[in-house]
Amino acid sequence: MDNNNTEFARIDPKLLRPMFYNPPRRTSAKALAALKQEIQDAGEVIVPLIVSRDMIIIDGHRRHAIALELSLPTVPVRFVDGDTNGLYLSISHTQRRMGTSDELSAYRLGG
C-alpha cells in the first residue's frame, strides 16, 4: 500500500460498499459478538476502515457491519489510492500471515 497518498476522515458508514468477495461468514452475528461489545464499550469504531476512493471497503468489513447495526453516525476511514483488488489481496495476504487488523491494532495498543 502506498502510504504517501492517504487521507483520514470520518464518514457515514451507509456510504461505504463492502468488497464483493469478502466472505459473508466473517460478518455473521457469532463472528461479530466480541468486537461488537468492544465498539459498544468505546462508543465508536476506533480503528479506521481502509477504503478506496470509490468508497469500497478494503479492510474493516466487520467494523462496518457493526457500525451499521449500532446505527453509528460516522466511522473513521483511511482512504487509499491504488487498484482496489490489488490492495484487498495485499491486505488479505498480510492478515493471513500476521493476524487481522483488529488483532494487530490491539497488539500495537497493548490490548
Side-chain angles (χ1 to χ4, degrees), residues 50-90:
I50 299 174
V51 178
S52 67
R53 297 285 177 180
D54 55 354
M55 306 300 269
I56 295 174
I57 300 168
I58 297 166
D59 182 54
H61 291 86
R62 296 182 318 137
R63 286 168 274 151
H64 177 251
I66 292 166
L68 292 173
E69 184 179 331
L70 296 176
S71 300
L72 297 179
T74 63
V75 292
V77 299
R78 176 181 167 206
F79 289 105
V80 294
D81 295 323
D83 170 59
T84 303
N85 291 328
L87 291 167
Y88 180 83
L89 293 173
S90 173

Side-chain angles (χ1 to χ4, degrees), residues 27-61:
T27 53
S28 70
K30 183 178 179 181
L32 298 177
L35 183 57
K36 180 179 178 182
Q37 187 61 53
E38 290 176 20
I39 291 172
Q40 283 178 310
D41 291 348
E44 65 180 342
V45 173
I46 303 295
V47 178
L49 286 69
I50 299 174
V51 178
S52 67
R53 297 285 177 180
D54 55 354
M55 306 300 269
I56 295 174
I57 300 168
I58 297 166
D59 182 54
H61 291 86

Side-chain angles (χ1 to χ4, degrees), residues 105-111:
S105 295
Y107 174 76
R108 281 189 213 112
L109 297 173

